[in-house]
Amino acid sequence: SLHTASGLRLYSVLSLSWGFVADVDLESEKYRRLGEIRFTVGTFFRLASLRIYQGQLAYLPVGTVASKRPASTLVQKGPVDTHLVPLEEPVPSHWTVVPEQDFVLVLVLLHTHLSSELFAAPMGRCEAGVMHLFYVRAGVSRAALLRLFLAMQKGKHMELDCPYLVHVPVVAFRLEP
């Protein structure tokens, strides 16, 4: 489930993207008639004017022992969130808080492919309740970012050992733009 600062609660099934990937998706809408190539065109345009996005990212990695909130303290409709705390509260101390605050993108996936042309999570599908969290820190060059996206077509981007690209299997995350 996704909680927004306005108090809205949404349910997401496939993925969440913020930064570069979201911009390419939205900005390439005008090229929809081109089919899948619209994303390639959008990627080149966004690379030409690369943006940095500021935010706070924290996550609960798989395997971290978490103290669960009692269901009685949660007033909500829908499934109970066992790992998330309200947005006005800090993340629990057993979460990992990313020290960087400048990102090129944040991507969270419940599946292996971002599109039919992008094999984003070659490590495979996650078990139930686990997500692939990817983020690219600011400072990555345009050329390195292009290499990452080209390699992602075949699921080889993790083999590039790019120091700006991070992948973590997580059970919960918080992104505050």
Side-chain angles (χ1 to χ4, degrees), residues 43-166:
T43 296
F44 281 109
F45 280 129
R46 181 52 37 226
L47 278 171
S49 58
L50 190 59
R51 294 180 183 152
I52 302 303
Y53 308 83
Q54 295 184 328
Q56 297 263 320
L57 178 62
Y59 57 86
L60 182 58
V62 169
T64 304
V65 177
S67 59
K68 295 187 178 183
R69 296 169 59 87
S72 61
T73 65
L74 298 172
V75 178
Q76 64 185 33
K77 294 179 182 177
V80 174
D81 293 324
T82 57
H83 301 293
L84 297 177
V85 295
L87 289 173
E88 57 277 357
E89 294 180 21
V91 294
S93 61
H94 60 280
W95 282 46
T96 299
V97 177
V98 177
E100 294 86 1
Q101 295 185 7
D102 293 337
F103 300 91
V104 171
L105 66 89
V106 174
L107 178 64
V108 182
L109 298 170
L110 291 173
H111 47 85
T112 59
H113 286 72
L114 187 55
S115 73
S116 63
E117 301 287 322
L118 291 176
F119 191 14
M123 55 288 299
R125 282 190 59 149
C126 287
E127 61 190 70
V130 177
M131 302 165 278
H132 293 287
L133 168 65
F134 295 91
Y135 63 91
V136 175
R137 297 186 329 256
V140 65
S141 69
R142 287 175 173 82
L145 195 56
L146 178 59
R147 281 192 298 276
L148 284 173
F149 279 107
L150 291 173
M152 194 183 294
Q153 291 177 337
K154 301 245 188 278
K156 304 289 186 189
H157 53 292
M158 298 307 293
E159 296 173 17
L160 297 179
D161 292 323
C162 176
Y164 296 93
L165 172 63
V166 178

Side-chain angles (χ1 to χ4, degrees), residues 163-175:
Y164 296 93
L165 172 63
V166 178
H167 167 258
V168 184
V170 301
V171 294
F173 71 96
R174 178 187 282 181
L175 174 62

